Amino acid sequence: MLKIALDAMGADNGIEPVVNGLLAALKNEAFKVFLVGDERLLKAFLDSCVLSKAILQRIEIVHTNDYIKMSEQASNANKRTDTSIYKAIQLTKMGDSNACVSAGHSGATMSLAILQIGRISGVSRPAICTCMPTITPNPSVILDAGANTDCKPEYLTDFAIMGYHYAKHVLGYSSPRVGLLANGEEDSKGNELTKQAFKILKQYDFFKGNVEGSDIFNGSVDVIVCDGFAGNLVLKASEGVANSISIILKQEIAKSPLSAIGYLFAKSAFKSLRTKIDYAEYGGAPLLGIKKPVIISHGKSNARAMECALYQAIKSCDSGICEIINDVFAESQKGQR
């Protein structure tokens, strides 16, 4: 049975959403979990839940005395061997678990994934890959969403290749279309980084050229490539817009009885909209380019977000995405020799 190492510590809202998300996922998917963190806290919380014996048998608590707080620097993560994220990464590195999921310190998770599990040979830099809602039934994929603030053209090329294969083999898109985020669709647009990356990417059949920010959401391409600085800005701005839309809708509905009546007739449509723009539904973001699946979740993740992050880990394992990326880059390296 598939095994996942789940870092239970360090999230903004404590262990409750992490464990509740886990319990929901265990009811829907067949996997075992190493629940890594403070045994006293975790056992007390599990004891307070009404759980079947079958569920409890699939949970193994791995005790740690320490965890990396959000306010701390990630630079010493590799030296603190008794933290929850260090042990979760170690379980994955050694093959005890098939994947690692964490809503704790993202910098520490990335650092340990690179230093302990290691990059796939030929990948210049790992990238955070996250899904974004579109006007079509299929979400788009954007990477890098924050792992690399300063990039070289070859990094963006690697991101494009990894994003293409993630969309194809994990999301099931038959022929993913890849675009390069720029300040215009014309070939000449962009900064020096994107102009150089464009020259490299145009040799690939999946590359459709430059795209603008609006193309992330209109479904004109399936994968959007950018540096981690721009990608993280897009991600945070999108979350802010989605949250603002929900608040504005509630305010407008509350303004008049007529609006409230209209809402009742369109309630299912509003519910679908909330679900589609809710970051929790997309779970965590895989760190592509690492030898084993590592899923990074938002620190403020609720139970639903953690549940979906675990589904992301399962999909990554079942699809063999790490092995696929490894094979693709191995072939590329052969062609260069």
Side-chain angles (χ1 to χ4, degrees):
M1 187 180 288
L2 193 72
K3 295 180 181 179
I4 298 173
L6 175 59
D7 174 16
M9 312 298 291
D12 291 350
N13 299 310
I15 67 168
E16 184 174 346
V18 177
V19 180
N20 281 335
L22 166 64
L23 297 178
L26 284 169
K27 291 175 183 176
N28 293 316
E29 294 286 347
F31 68 97
K32 292 182 178 180
V33 66
F34 293 106
L35 190 57
V36 188
D38 187 320
E39 184 175 21
R40 179 183 58 83
L41 289 175
L42 295 171
K43 191 173 185 308
F45 188 86
L46 289 171
D47 288 344
S48 70
C49 303
V50 180
L51 302 173
S52 68
K53 186 177 180 181
I55 291 289
L56 285 171
Q57 285 177 338
R58 289 191 277 144
I59 301 173
E60 180 179 338
I61 296 175
V62 178
H63 177 67
T64 61
N65 292 306
D66 190 16
Y67 72 94
I68 297 178
K69 300 175 181 63
M70 292 292 189
S71 59
E72 295 182 286
Q73 295 291 324
S75 55
N76 64 347
N78 201 43
K79 299 175 184 177
R80 290 170 59 181
T81 58
D82 197 34
T83 62
S84 55
I85 184 56
Y86 188 96
K87 288 201 172 181
I89 289 288
Q90 280 293 305
L91 286 165
T92 309
K93 174 187 178 180
M94 302 307 294
D96 297 301
S97 71
N98 303 98
C100 176
V101 176
S102 176
H105 197 300
S106 59
T109 304
M110 287 188 287
S111 175
L112 287 169
I114 295 168
L115 293 172
Q116 294 295 324
I117 297 175
R119 282 186 292 117
I120 290 170
S121 179
V123 173
S124 53
R125 292 290 188 279
I128 295 175
C129 172
T130 190
C131 289
M132 305 290 279
T134 72
I135 60 174
T136 74
N138 296 329
S140 63
V141 173
I142 185 168
L143 71 166
D144 178 22
N148 308 277
T149 54
D150 296 303
C151 288
K152 297 179 180 179
E154 55 266 32
Y155 299 177
L156 299 189
T157 304
D158 288 356
F159 300 165
I161 294 168
M162 294 191 292
Y164 169 83
H165 286 284
Y166 183 83
K168 184 172 184 177
H169 297 285
V170 178
L171 300 182
Y173 300 172
S174 58
S175 299
R177 301 156 297 170
V178 179
L180 179 63
L181 188 63
N183 60 332
E185 295 179 352
E186 297 83 3
D187 294 2
S188 60
K189 287 296 181 73
N191 57 20
E192 202 55 40
L193 170 65
T194 56
K195 287 176 182 177
Q196 292 301 316
F198 185 97
K199 292 177 182 179
I200 304 172
L201 285 169
K202 67 181 182 181
Q203 67 181 291
Y204 293 91
D205 292 338
F206 58 63
F207 184 57
K208 301 305 174 185
N210 287 336
V211 295
E212 299 178 350
S214 59
D215 294 310
I216 296 170
F217 310 100
N218 66 19
S220 60
V221 291
D222 305 296
V223 178
I224 298 91
V225 175
C226 59
D227 63 75
F229 182 79
N232 195 255
L233 288 177
V234 167
L235 179 62
K236 298 294 175 59
S238 301
E239 289 174 359
V241 169
N243 186 54
S244 297
I245 288 171
S246 297
I247 293 171
I248 291 168
L249 281 173
K250 289 177 183 177
Q251 290 172 340
E252 292 300 316
I253 290 166
K255 281 183 178 179
S256 73
L258 192 61
S259 295
I261 292 170
Y263 167 74
L264 291 175
F265 282 105
K267 192 173 182 179
S268 62
F270 283 118
K271 185 178 180 181
S272 296
L273 173 64
R274 282 199 304 270
T275 298
K276 190 154 192 174
I277 64 176
D278 185 1
Y279 79 92
E281 293 298 317
Y282 300 93
L287 184 61
L288 297 183
I290 298 297
K291 293 177 181 178
K292 301 281 185 71
V294 175
I295 310 297
I296 296 173
S297 296
H298 204 301
K300 66 178 182 180
S301 291
N302 58 22
R304 176 60 179 168
M306 292 309 303
E307 178 187 356
C308 292
L310 288 160
Y311 297 151
Q312 283 269 21
I314 293 167
K315 284 182 181 178
S316 293
C317 292
D318 289 346
S319 67
I321 185 60
C322 294
E323 291 78 9
I324 289 168
I325 292 173
N326 179 76
D327 291 346
V328 167
F329 279 85
E331 283 299 315
S332 177
Q333 288 179 306
K334 281 182 185 176
Q336 292 174 3
R337 288 199 291 265

